[in-house]
Amino acid sequence: MSFAVWLTGHSGSGKSAIARELLRLLHQRGVDVSVLESDVMRTQLTPYPRYDDADRDFFYGFLGKIGVNLVEEGKGVIYDATANRRAYRDAARKRIPRFAEVYVDTPLDVCRARDPKGLYRQGMQIPYEAPLAPELTLRGDLGSPAKSAAAVVAWLEGRRWISAAR
């Protein structure tokens, strides 16, 4: 069964670590799933990013379409992307019947301390619109990425989007 899980949250919240663990857990179960990691995809879609509104509109619109196409082909999709505006995530939700928005809610001071891309040190802080009603909220500063990924798997099982573990 195809589905999409969009992991969203501030830069440094833990999205990528959770996405890696989620991919591992789903592959162990034989679930055909792809990860659309924004940092990797951006190098292909916008190799000279400007990070302005027009650039983000193009990038997230195209990222959403790629996920839609994969879901239509029967694959599961994990979006590992901040998508600072709700509209970006909502556009994918409208086109993907089995869509789950997972908010990785991590205090901004923790994200700043992690700062994996140096965005906070460079003063690059764009407004982020947190989900209003995510299907699941995870704390990126508590527990581990493995436990968070297991919570997503349990949620997917509960909706019968994936089979229960054997």
Side-chain angles (χ1 to χ4, degrees):
M1 289 190 229
S2 60
F3 60 87
V5 171
W6 196 308
L7 296 168
T8 184
H10 285 282
S11 178
S13 64
K15 296 180 303 295
S16 294
I18 294 168
R20 283 189 296 275
E21 286 296 319
L22 182 56
L23 176 68
R24 185 182 65 76
L25 291 174
L26 292 172
H27 276 175
Q28 281 179 347
R29 291 167 170 252
V31 177
D32 191 11
V33 64
S34 298
V35 175
L36 298 179
E37 183 181 352
S38 63
D39 292 339
V40 173
M41 298 300 295
R42 191 174 289 283
T43 66
Q44 303 303 306
L45 299 175
T46 55
Y48 304 102
R50 297 180 314 272
Y51 295 102
D52 59 15
D53 288 343
D55 185 66
R56 282 190 175 88
D57 290 348
F58 167 79
F59 175 73
Y60 285 116
F62 208 87
L63 188 69
K65 288 178 187 176
I66 293 170
V68 167
N69 290 343
L70 289 168
V71 167
E72 287 174 350
E73 294 294 322
K75 288 186 175 268
V77 172
I78 301 167
Y79 288 97
D80 171 10
T82 298
N84 65 305
R85 292 186 181 156
R86 279 183 213 104
Y88 300 141
R89 304 180 305 263
D90 289 347
R93 178 187 295 278
K94 287 178 186 170
R95 298 188 60 202
I96 300 173
R98 291 180 176 200
F99 182 93
E101 190 173 24
V102 177
Y103 179 34
V104 183
D105 183 12
T106 305
L108 200 49
D109 61 324
V110 173
C111 295
R112 282 190 184 113
R114 291 176 178 170
D115 201 13
K117 297 179 228 169
L119 299 177
Y120 299 105
R121 285 188 300 278
Q122 297 171 26
M124 293 179 65
Q125 182 57 34
I126 58 166
Y128 174 74
E129 299 172 352
L132 295 175
E135 280 71 20
L136 189 61
T137 298
L138 305 171
R139 287 291 304 263
D141 60 328
L142 303 175
S144 68
K147 286 183 181 178
S148 293
V152 176
V153 168
W155 188 92
L156 292 168
E157 278 182 357
R159 298 304 176 282
R160 294 191 168 96
W161 292 6
I162 62 172
S163 300
R166 297 177 191 170

